[in-house]
Amino acid sequence: MFITKKHISRRTVLRGMGAAVALPFLESMVPAQTPLRQTSAAPPTRLCAIEMVHGAAGSTRPGQKLNYWSPAKEGADFEITPTLMSLEPFQEYLTIVTNTDLNPARAWVAKEEGSDHTRSSAVFLTAAHPKMTEGADIYCGTSLDQAYAHRAGQDTPLPSIQLCIENVGSLSAACGYGYSCVYANTISWSTPTTPLPMERDPRVAFERLFGSGGTAEDRSNRRREDRSILDTITHAVARLQQDLGPSDRERLQGYLQDVREIERRILKIEQYNSDNPDVRELPAAPIGVPDSFGEHVSLMFDLQALAFMADVTRVSAFKMGRDVSARVYPGSGVKTPFHSASHHGDKAEELASFAQLNQYHVSTVAPFIEKLKDTPDGDGNLLDHSLVMYGSPMGNSHVHEHLRLPVFLVGHANG
């Protein structure tokens, strides 16, 4: 039970020119002498669904000597495997899901052979076999994130957000094997006929979360004048702080510092890419997209954490890779392009190399998990009130197998 001097609305938004900044949970949002769970400030459950394509080494062979992904022993006291080692600090929140198949992703008829890369992402969260078509008559299923958004996302400014790392390309062209590209380019489907595009540009994602105030001209003027989004709400912050207790003022300042830091990082990337167009590794990418995979993923995860913190949205879908990607991940220590590494031929040395890549990808999720755990939220923390699902629609990527998928869940999801 919280006892506060003044009650402010959980839906309070600080507005300025081209800005609309929602607030994190504050004790002042709970009426005095009222149990939190009986108020509108009761912590909601957030859902983050993450796809990493091409399966994982060691996720599909029962009885294998090297368990890169799945623990050899089931139960609460399982031993963390090498691929998931970065999640060891969060073992009390971690569930590793084993022996899960995704049969709708498999080829149903002979003419669909070879189309796994085009089809898999569409099946990941829908568990529905996509209609084979290169035209506009696409049909798949409603995805898990959107099923939850339809129920829990109607009271937030954004019902859900969809983010990605690589350029997934067109939502309407044909991608071969009789399938539309839309099936490969998003994991989020609002209805069986309504795929939702994934946003790659951190600047666009940031503006969706915090720059919806005022007009498009207001937001353009603010960026042109090189002003922070927080510069436009200084007076609103000062007025609000007069009604807050010391702990709430500290929490608010920490949150606003996080917003400003993300904005600073985006601006730094834009300035560097603008000043060095000839040395970009991703010359066709938007100016706000960093060449570094690690930096890009970190930004996108931090944006999701802020969105959950301020209850701007309770649902996110994040596509961290693209099928048949030839990207090399220097941070992993593996020099082989990703798609080539995924076709490891079940050879020990190549499997170990692919497992090293898998380990690197999982390690980029760990700071996000830590951020959720370290963020107070109502009567607990964000990780207590969230569910993060990470997985792939493939198991053994070498043979495009959709059996025994690599999947883990993190968070207590409000119990």
Side-chain angles (χ1 to χ4, degrees):
M1 181 182 294
F2 293 91
I3 299 178
T4 60
K5 293 167 52 179
K6 204 156 187 178
H7 170 229
I8 62 176
S9 170
R10 182 68 180 93
R11 297 262 66 89
T12 299
V13 175
L14 305 180
R15 297 187 182 277
M17 185 187 75
V21 180
L23 300 179
F25 172 81
L26 303 172
E27 292 182 6
S28 304
M29 293 173 176
V30 183
Q33 299 184 351
T34 304
L36 176 63
R37 295 281 171 174
Q38 296 178 15
T39 74
S40 59
T45 303
R46 288 79 159 186
L47 171 66
C48 173
I50 306 165
E51 182 210 29
M52 190 63 225
V53 297
H54 294 190
S59 66
T60 64
R61 290 290 180 264
Q64 61 193 349
K65 293 182 180 180
L66 293 176
N67 283 348
Y68 288 114
W69 182 281
S70 301
K73 178 184 176 183
E74 296 183 356
D77 59 343
F78 63 87
E79 183 177 348
I80 296 287
T81 51
T83 302
L84 306 180
M85 191 58 65
S86 60
L87 302 179
E88 189 173 28
F90 318 105
Q91 186 160 348
E92 64 175 300
Y93 291 93
L94 175 64
T95 300
I96 302 172
V97 182
T98 58
N99 296 321
T100 297
D101 301 343
L102 194 59
N103 287 320
R106 304 171 79 181
W108 282 9
V109 292
K111 65 179 181 179
E112 293 192 29
E113 292 294 339
S115 59
D116 293 84
H117 285 307
T118 308
R119 182 178 58 243
S120 292
S121 288
V123 188
F124 178 54
L125 296 180
T126 64
H129 190 83
K131 177 182 178 180
M132 179 183 273
T133 179
E134 294 181 340
D137 56 333
I138 55 173
Y139 195 92
C140 188
T142 300
S143 55
L144 172 70
D145 62 309
Q146 289 306 298
Y148 186 61
H150 294 162
R151 192 183 80 179
Q154 304 310 305
D155 297 328
T156 54
L158 298 175
S160 64
I161 55 175
Q162 295 77 41
L163 305 175
C164 69
I165 292 299
E166 295 195 65
N167 179 20
V168 294
S170 169
L171 289 179
S172 59
C175 278
Y177 299 100
Y179 274 103
S180 166
C181 291
V182 68
Y183 295 122
N185 292 342
T186 182
I187 59 175
S188 192
W189 291 71
S190 181
T191 72
T193 57
T194 312
L196 300 179
M198 317 293 288
E199 181 53 58
R200 183 189 185 193
D201 191 337
R203 168 65 72 182
V204 175
F206 180 86
E207 292 288 353
R208 283 198 71 198
L209 296 175
F210 303 108
S212 58
T215 65
E217 185 179 3
D218 288 336
R219 296 190 289 276
S220 177
N221 288 338
R222 171 175 51 76
R223 291 194 296 271
R224 189 163 52 248
E225 294 169 7
D226 196 21
R227 298 175 65 196
S228 165
I229 203 169
L230 300 183
D231 292 338
T232 69
I233 60 171
T234 302
H235 297 300
V237 171
R239 287 195 301 270
L240 175 64
Q241 286 181 326
Q242 295 175 2
D243 296 328
L244 301 180
S247 62
D248 276 351
R249 285 199 294 270
E250 182 178 353
R251 186 174 298 178
L252 177 62
Q253 282 303 116
Y255 165 72
L256 295 178
Q257 287 173 7
D258 286 345
V259 174
R260 188 182 293 275
E261 175 60 16
I262 285 182
E263 189 179 27
R264 185 197 67 79
R265 287 158 62 191
I266 292 173
L267 180 61
K268 183 179 178 181
I269 292 164
E270 291 173 335
Q271 290 176 337
Y272 179 84
N273 288 341
S274 178
D275 293 341
N276 301 277
D278 296 334
V279 298
R280 289 207 64 186
E281 295 178 24
L282 306 172
I287 194 172
V289 172
D291 287 338
S292 164
F293 173 85
E295 188 175 13
H296 195 181
V297 167
S298 175
L299 261 178
M300 293 310 220
F301 272 133
D302 285 348
L303 284 168
Q304 290 172 82
L306 280 180
F308 287 173
M309 190 186 307
D311 206 27
V312 176
T313 189
R314 297 168 187 170
V315 185
S316 67
F318 190 20
K319 186 171 175 55
M320 285 178 58
R322 179 176 61 85
D323 273 73
V324 301
S325 171
R327 187 163 197 166
V328 176
Y329 300 92
S332 70
V334 177
K335 298 180 180 180
T336 307
F338 181 53
H339 185 229
S340 299
S342 74
H343 285 285
H344 44 69
D346 284 328
K347 299 175 183 176
E349 185 176 349
E350 282 79 2
L351 266 171
S353 180
F354 190 50
Q356 188 173 335
L357 269 178
N358 303 150
Q359 182 178 17
Y360 170 69
H361 289 144
V362 172
S363 74
T364 65
V365 184
F368 174 59
I369 303 300
E370 184 175 21
K371 181 77 171 180
L372 297 182
K373 187 174 184 292
D374 291 345
T375 301
D377 185 57
D379 53 1
N381 60 57
L382 272 177
L383 194 55
D384 291 325
H385 306 145
S386 300
L387 181 67
V388 178
M389 171 186 172
Y390 177 104
S392 176
M394 282 191 189
N396 184 348
S397 54
H398 177 61
V399 292
H400 293 180
E401 190 173 69
H402 305 282
L403 306 176
R404 295 178 287 277
L405 307 182
V407 178
F408 66 74
L409 310 174
V410 188
H412 286 163
N414 255 321

PDB file of all heavy atoms in Angstrom, residues 278-304:
ATOM      1  N   ASP A 278      30.836   7.840 -47.399  1.00  0.00           N
ATOM      2  CA  ASP A 278      31.643   6.989 -48.272  1.00  0.00           C
ATOM      3  C   ASP A 278      32.226   5.778 -47.558  1.00  0.00           C
ATOM      4  O   ASP A 278      32.732   4.855 -48.209  1.00  0.00           O
ATOM      5  CB  ASP A 278      32.798   7.802 -48.883  1.00  0.00           C
ATOM      6  CG  ASP A 278      32.302   8.916 -49.789  1.00  0.00           C
ATOM      7  OD1 ASP A 278      31.182   8.775 -50.324  1.00  0.00           O
ATOM      8  OD2 ASP A 278      33.022   9.918 -49.942  1.00  0.00           O
ATOM      9  N   VAL A 279      32.161   5.760 -46.224  1.00  0.00           N
ATOM     10  CA  VAL A 279      32.761   4.638 -45.501  1.00  0.00           C
ATOM     11  C   VAL A 279      31.704   3.787 -44.808  1.00  0.00           C
ATOM     12  O   VAL A 279      32.040   2.890 -44.029  1.00  0.00           O
ATOM     13  CB  VAL A 279      33.786   5.140 -44.451  1.00  0.00           C
ATOM     14  CG1 VAL A 279      34.921   5.864 -45.146  1.00  0.00           C
ATOM     15  CG2 VAL A 279      33.125   6.032 -43.410  1.00  0.00           C
ATOM     16  N   ARG A 280      30.448   4.042 -45.111  1.00  0.00           N
ATOM     17  CA  ARG A 280      29.388   3.278 -44.461  1.00  0.00           C
ATOM     18  C   ARG A 280      29.392   1.826 -44.931  1.00  0.00           C
ATOM     19  O   ARG A 280      29.549   1.536 -46.127  1.00  0.00           O
ATOM     20  CB  ARG A 280      28.010   3.886 -44.756  1.00  0.00           C
ATOM     21  CG  ARG A 280      27.736   5.204 -44.074  1.00  0.00           C
ATOM     22  CD  ARG A 280      26.246   5.392 -43.855  1.00  0.00           C
ATOM     23  NE  ARG A 280      25.713   4.385 -42.943  1.00  0.00           N
ATOM     24  CZ  ARG A 280      24.414   4.258 -42.672  1.00  0.00           C
ATOM     25  NH1 ARG A 280      23.537   5.054 -43.261  1.00  0.00           N
ATOM     26  NH2 ARG A 280      23.996   3.330 -41.823  1.00  0.00           N
ATOM     27  N   GLU A 281      29.208   0.903 -43.987  1.00  0.00           N
ATOM     28  CA  GLU A 281      29.065  -0.506 -44.331  1.00  0.00           C
ATOM     29  C   GLU A 281      27.678  -0.794 -44.886  1.00  0.00           C
ATOM     30  O   GLU A 281      27.482  -1.765 -45.621  1.00  0.00           O
ATOM     31  CB  GLU A 281      29.307  -1.371 -43.095  1.00  0.00           C
ATOM     32  CG  GLU A 281      30.729  -1.288 -42.561  1.00  0.00           C
ATOM     33  CD  GLU A 281      30.898  -2.122 -41.300  1.00  0.00           C
ATOM     34  OE1 GLU A 281      30.101  -3.066 -41.121  1.00  0.00           O
ATOM     35  OE2 GLU A 281      31.812  -1.842 -40.509  1.00  0.00           O
ATOM     36  N   LEU A 282      26.698   0.053 -44.511  1.00  0.00           N
ATOM     37  CA  LEU A 282      25.315  -0.104 -44.967  1.00  0.00           C
ATOM     38  C   LEU A 282      24.898   1.171 -45.692  1.00  0.00           C
ATOM     39  O   LEU A 282      24.086   1.966 -45.198  1.00  0.00           O
ATOM     40  CB  LEU A 282      24.378  -0.362 -43.771  1.00  0.00           C
ATOM     41  CG  LEU A 282      24.746  -1.529 -42.849  1.00  0.00           C
ATOM     42  CD1 LEU A 282      23.845  -1.533 -41.621  1.00  0.00           C
ATOM     43  CD2 LEU A 282      24.633  -2.851 -43.598  1.00  0.00           C
ATOM     44  N   PRO A 283      25.441   1.420 -46.888  1.00  0.00           N
ATOM     45  CA  PRO A 283      25.213   2.693 -47.577  1.00  0.00           C
ATOM     46  C   PRO A 283      23.754   2.950 -47.929  1.00  0.00           C
ATOM     47  O   PRO A 283      23.344   4.103 -48.068  1.00  0.00           O
ATOM     48  CB  PRO A 283      26.080   2.572 -48.845  1.00  0.00           C
ATOM     49  CG  PRO A 283      26.275   1.101 -49.039  1.00  0.00           C
ATOM     50  CD  PRO A 283      26.315   0.516 -47.666  1.00  0.00           C
ATOM     51  N   ALA A 284      22.956   1.911 -48.073  1.00  0.00           N
ATOM     52  CA  ALA A 284      21.557   2.096 -48.456  1.00  0.00           C
ATOM     53  C   ALA A 284      20.636   2.274 -47.247  1.00  0.00           C
ATOM     54  O   ALA A 284      19.442   2.535 -47.404  1.00  0.00           O
ATOM     55  CB  ALA A 284      21.083   0.902 -49.288  1.00  0.00           C
ATOM     56  N   ALA A 285      21.185   2.133 -46.043  1.00  0.00           N
ATOM     57  CA  ALA A 285      20.361   2.220 -44.834  1.00  0.00           C
ATOM     58  C   ALA A 285      20.003   3.674 -44.531  1.00  0.00           C
ATOM     59  O   ALA A 285      20.735   4.597 -44.905  1.00  0.00           O
ATOM     60  CB  ALA A 285      21.107   1.606 -43.658  1.00  0.00           C
ATOM     61  N   PRO A 286      18.893   3.913 -43.840  1.00  0.00           N
ATOM     62  CA  PRO A 286      18.557   5.274 -43.397  1.00  0.00           C
ATOM     63  C   PRO A 286      19.697   5.860 -42.564  1.00  0.00           C
ATOM     64  O   PRO A 286      20.463   5.125 -41.922  1.00  0.00           O
ATOM     65  CB  PRO A 286      17.297   5.073 -42.546  1.00  0.00           C
ATOM     66  CG  PRO A 286      16.689   3.812 -43.071  1.00  0.00           C
ATOM     67  CD  PRO A 286      17.845   2.944 -43.479  1.00  0.00           C
ATOM     68  N   ILE A 287      19.788   7.164 -42.531  1.00  0.00           N
ATOM     69  CA  ILE A 287      20.912   7.839 -41.885  1.00  0.00           C
ATOM     70  C   ILE A 287      20.969   7.554 -40.392  1.00  0.00           C
ATOM     71  O   ILE A 287      22.026   7.611 -39.773  1.00  0.00           O
ATOM     72  CB  ILE A 287      20.844   9.353 -42.156  1.00  0.00           C
ATOM     73  CG1 ILE A 287      22.167  10.028 -41.804  1.00  0.00           C
ATOM     74  CG2 ILE A 287      19.691   9.992 -41.402  1.00  0.00           C
ATOM     75  CD1 ILE A 287      22.247  11.472 -42.228  1.00  0.00           C
ATOM     76  N   GLY A 288      19.835   7.200 -39.792  1.00  0.00           N
ATOM     77  CA  GLY A 288      19.806   6.938 -38.360  1.00  0.00           C
ATOM     78  C   GLY A 288      20.144   5.510 -37.985  1.00  0.00           C
ATOM     79  O   GLY A 288      20.189   5.183 -36.796  1.00  0.00           O
ATOM     80  N   VAL A 289      20.381   4.654 -38.966  1.00  0.00           N
ATOM     81  CA  VAL A 289      20.689   3.243 -38.695  1.00  0.00           C
ATOM     82  C   VAL A 289      22.196   3.069 -38.558  1.00  0.00           C
ATOM     83  O   VAL A 289      22.945   3.339 -39.497  1.00  0.00           O
ATOM     84  CB  VAL A 289      20.161   2.329 -39.823  1.00  0.00           C
ATOM     85  CG1 VAL A 289      20.648   0.900 -39.636  1.00  0.00           C
ATOM     86  CG2 VAL A 289      18.648   2.378 -39.866  1.00  0.00           C
ATOM     87  N   PRO A 290      22.685   2.632 -37.399  1.00  0.00           N
ATOM     88  CA  PRO A 290      24.132   2.428 -37.246  1.00  0.00           C
ATOM     89  C   PRO A 290      24.611   1.226 -38.041  1.00  0.00           C
ATOM     90  O   PRO A 290      23.876   0.256 -38.237  1.00  0.00           O
ATOM     91  CB  PRO A 290      24.294   2.197 -35.739  1.00  0.00           C
ATOM     92  CG  PRO A 290      22.970   1.721 -35.265  1.00  0.00           C
ATOM     93  CD  PRO A 290      21.939   2.332 -36.171  1.00  0.00           C
ATOM     94  N   ASP A 291      25.845   1.273 -38.496  1.00  0.00           N
ATOM     95  CA  ASP A 291      26.434   0.132 -39.194  1.00  0.00           C
ATOM     96  C   ASP A 291      26.638  -1.038 -38.233  1.00  0.00           C
ATOM     97  O   ASP A 291      26.561  -2.200 -38.637  1.00  0.00           O
ATOM     98  CB  ASP A 291      27.778   0.522 -39.809  1.00  0.00           C
ATOM     99  CG  ASP A 291      27.622   1.426 -41.029  1.00  0.00           C
ATOM    100  OD1 ASP A 291      26.528   1.420 -41.634  1.00  0.00           O
ATOM    101  OD2 ASP A 291      28.580   2.149 -41.370  1.00  0.00           O
ATOM    102  N   SER A 292      26.894  -0.739 -36.984  1.00  0.00           N
ATOM    103  CA  SER A 292      27.168  -1.762 -35.980  1.00  0.00           C
ATOM    104  C   SER A 292      25.881  -2.470 -35.560  1.00  0.00           C
ATOM    105  O   SER A 292      24.935  -1.832 -35.086  1.00  0.00           O
ATOM    106  CB  SER A 292      27.822  -1.127 -34.753  1.00  0.00           C
ATOM    107  OG  SER A 292      27.767  -1.990 -33.641  1.00  0.00           O
ATOM    108  N   PHE A 293      25.867  -3.796 -35.721  1.00  0.00           N
ATOM    109  CA  PHE A 293      24.718  -4.584 -35.280  1.00  0.00           C
ATOM    110  C   PHE A 293      24.486  -4.419 -33.780  1.00  0.00           C
ATOM    111  O   PHE A 293      23.357  -4.201 -33.330  1.00  0.00           O
ATOM    112  CB  PHE A 293      24.947  -6.065 -35.620  1.00  0.00           C
ATOM    113  CG  PHE A 293      23.902  -6.997 -35.061  1.00  0.00           C
ATOM    114  CD1 PHE A 293      22.714  -7.220 -35.743  1.00  0.00           C
ATOM    115  CD2 PHE A 293      24.111  -7.659 -33.858  1.00  0.00           C
ATOM    116  CE1 PHE A 293      21.736  -8.073 -35.228  1.00  0.00           C
ATOM    117  CE2 PHE A 293      23.162  -8.522 -33.339  1.00  0.00           C
ATOM    118  CZ  PHE A 293      21.967  -8.727 -34.018  1.00  0.00           C
ATOM    119  N   GLY A 294      25.574  -4.514 -32.996  1.00  0.00           N
ATOM    120  CA  GLY A 294      25.439  -4.407 -31.553  1.00  0.00           C
ATOM    121  C   GLY A 294      24.864  -3.080 -31.114  1.00  0.00           C
ATOM    122  O   GLY A 294      24.005  -3.015 -30.224  1.00  0.00           O
ATOM    123  N   GLU A 295      25.321  -1.999 -31.735  1.00  0.00           N
ATOM    124  CA  GLU A 295      24.817  -0.664 -31.389  1.00  0.00           C
ATOM    125  C   GLU A 295      23.353  -0.515 -31.791  1.00  0.00           C
ATOM    126  O   GLU A 295      22.549   0.066 -31.054  1.00  0.00           O
ATOM    127  CB  GLU A 295      25.672   0.390 -32.091  1.00  0.00           C
ATOM    128  CG  GLU A 295      25.371   1.815 -31.672  1.00  0.00           C
ATOM    129  CD  GLU A 295      26.321   2.827 -32.294  1.00  0.00           C
ATOM    130  OE1 GLU A 295      27.055   2.447 -33.238  1.00  0.00           O
ATOM    131  OE2 GLU A 295      26.323   3.980 -31.847  1.00  0.00           O
ATOM    132  N   HIS A 296      22.998  -1.067 -32.945  1.00  0.00           N
ATOM    133  CA  HIS A 296      21.622  -0.979 -33.433  1.00  0.00           C
ATOM    134  C   HIS A 296      20.678  -1.747 -32.517  1.00  0.00           C
ATOM    135  O   HIS A 296      19.628  -1.235 -32.097  1.00  0.00           O
ATOM    136  CB  HIS A 296      21.568  -1.537 -34.860  1.00  0.00           C
ATOM    137  CG  HIS A 296      20.322  -1.191 -35.598  1.00  0.00           C
ATOM    138  ND1 HIS A 296      20.089  -1.628 -36.897  1.00  0.00           N
ATOM    139  CD2 HIS A 296      19.212  -0.474 -35.259  1.00  0.00           C
ATOM    140  CE1 HIS A 296      18.922  -1.182 -37.298  1.00  0.00           C
ATOM    141  NE2 HIS A 296      18.364  -0.489 -36.322  1.00  0.00           N
ATOM    142  N   VAL A 297      21.049  -2.991 -32.185  1.00  0.00           N
ATOM    143  CA  VAL A 297      20.215  -3.811 -31.308  1.00  0.00           C
ATOM    144  C   VAL A 297      20.052  -3.145 -29.946  1.00  0.00           C
ATOM    145  O   VAL A 297      18.956  -3.106 -29.379  1.00  0.00           O
ATOM    146  CB  VAL A 297      20.817  -5.224 -31.154  1.00  0.00           C
ATOM    147  CG1 VAL A 297      20.153  -5.973 -30.016  1.00  0.00           C
ATOM    148  CG2 VAL A 297      20.653  -6.016 -32.440  1.00  0.00           C
ATOM    149  N   SER A 298      21.136  -2.603 -29.408  1.00  0.00           N
ATOM    150  CA  SER A 298      21.084  -1.951 -28.102  1.00  0.00           C
ATOM    151  C   SER A 298      20.101  -0.786 -28.098  1.00  0.00           C
ATOM    152  O   SER A 298      19.307  -0.631 -27.158  1.00  0.00           O
ATOM    153  CB  SER A 298      22.487  -1.467 -27.713  1.00  0.00           C
ATOM    154  OG  SER A 298      22.453  -0.733 -26.510  1.00  0.00           O
ATOM    155  N   LEU A 299      20.142   0.024 -29.144  1.00  0.00           N
ATOM    156  CA  LEU A 299      19.212   1.150 -29.252  1.00  0.00           C
ATOM    157  C   LEU A 299      17.760   0.676 -29.295  1.00  0.00           C
ATOM    158  O   LEU A 299      16.894   1.217 -28.599  1.00  0.00           O
ATOM    159  CB  LEU A 299      19.518   1.955 -30.520  1.00  0.00           C
ATOM    160  CG  LEU A 299      20.340   3.234 -30.367  1.00  0.00           C
ATOM    161  CD1 LEU A 299      20.581   3.858 -31.745  1.00  0.00           C
ATOM    162  CD2 LEU A 299      19.648   4.226 -29.452  1.00  0.00           C
ATOM    163  N   MET A 300      17.500  -0.340 -30.106  1.00  0.00           N
ATOM    164  CA  MET A 300      16.126  -0.819 -30.251  1.00  0.00           C
ATOM    165  C   MET A 300      15.603  -1.436 -28.952  1.00  0.00           C
ATOM    166  O   MET A 300      14.439  -1.261 -28.590  1.00  0.00           O
ATOM    167  CB  MET A 300      16.040  -1.830 -31.399  1.00  0.00           C
ATOM    168  CG  MET A 300      16.290  -1.232 -32.783  1.00  0.00           C
ATOM    169  SD  MET A 300      15.324   0.257 -33.120  1.00  0.00           S
ATOM    170  CE  MET A 300      14.865   0.000 -34.832  1.00  0.00           C
ATOM    171  N   PHE A 301      16.465  -2.152 -28.234  1.00  0.00           N
ATOM    172  CA  PHE A 301      16.046  -2.711 -26.960  1.00  0.00           C
ATOM    173  C   PHE A 301      15.800  -1.607 -25.927  1.00  0.00           C
ATOM    174  O   PHE A 301      14.853  -1.682 -25.137  1.00  0.00           O
ATOM    175  CB  PHE A 301      17.084  -3.703 -26.434  1.00  0.00           C
ATOM    176  CG  PHE A 301      16.887  -5.109 -26.929  1.00  0.00           C
ATOM    177  CD1 PHE A 301      17.951  -5.839 -27.432  1.00  0.00           C
ATOM    178  CD2 PHE A 301      15.641  -5.720 -26.865  1.00  0.00           C
ATOM    179  CE1 PHE A 301      17.779  -7.152 -27.875  1.00  0.00           C
ATOM    180  CE2 PHE A 301      15.450  -7.028 -27.317  1.00  0.00           C
ATOM    181  CZ  PHE A 301      16.529  -7.738 -27.815  1.00  0.00           C
ATOM    182  N   ASP A 302      16.660  -0.592 -25.917  1.00  0.00           N
ATOM    183  CA  ASP A 302      16.468   0.506 -24.971  1.00  0.00           C
ATOM    184  C   ASP A 302      15.178   1.259 -25.252  1.00  0.00           C
ATOM    185  O   ASP A 302      14.491   1.726 -24.324  1.00  0.00           O
ATOM    186  CB  ASP A 302      17.661   1.454 -25.018  1.00  0.00           C
ATOM    187  CG  ASP A 302      18.899   0.884 -24.330  1.00  0.00           C
ATOM    188  OD1 ASP A 302      18.762  -0.144 -23.627  1.00  0.00           O
ATOM    189  OD2 ASP A 302      19.990   1.451 -24.489  1.00  0.00           O
ATOM    190  N   LEU A 303      14.820   1.396 -26.517  1.00  0.00           N
ATOM    191  CA  LEU A 303      13.553   2.039 -26.868  1.00  0.00           C
ATOM    192  C   LEU A 303      12.366   1.212 -26.374  1.00  0.00           C
ATOM    193  O   LEU A 303      11.377   1.760 -25.866  1.00  0.00           O
ATOM    194  CB  LEU A 303      13.467   2.237 -28.380  1.00  0.00           C
ATOM    195  CG  LEU A 303      14.304   3.383 -28.956  1.00  0.00           C
ATOM    196  CD1 LEU A 303      14.372   3.300 -30.474  1.00  0.00           C
ATOM    197  CD2 LEU A 303      13.726   4.731 -28.542  1.00  0.00           C
ATOM    198  N   GLN A 304      12.469  -0.102 -26.490  1.00  0.00           N
ATOM    199  CA  GLN A 304      11.388  -0.963 -26.000  1.00  0.00           C
ATOM    200  C   GLN A 304      11.269  -0.872 -24.480  1.00  0.00           C
ATOM    201  O   GLN A 304      10.161  -0.832 -23.927  1.00  0.00           O
ATOM    202  CB  GLN A 304      11.630  -2.411 -26.444  1.00  0.00           C
ATOM    203  CG  GLN A 304      11.459  -2.621 -27.935  1.00  0.00           C
ATOM    204  CD  GLN A 304      11.894  -4.000 -28.389  1.00  0.00           C
ATOM    205  OE1 GLN A 304      11.144  -4.963 -28.281  1.00  0.00           O
ATOM    206  NE2 GLN A 304      13.114  -4.102 -28.908  1.00  0.00           N
TER     207      GLN A 304
END
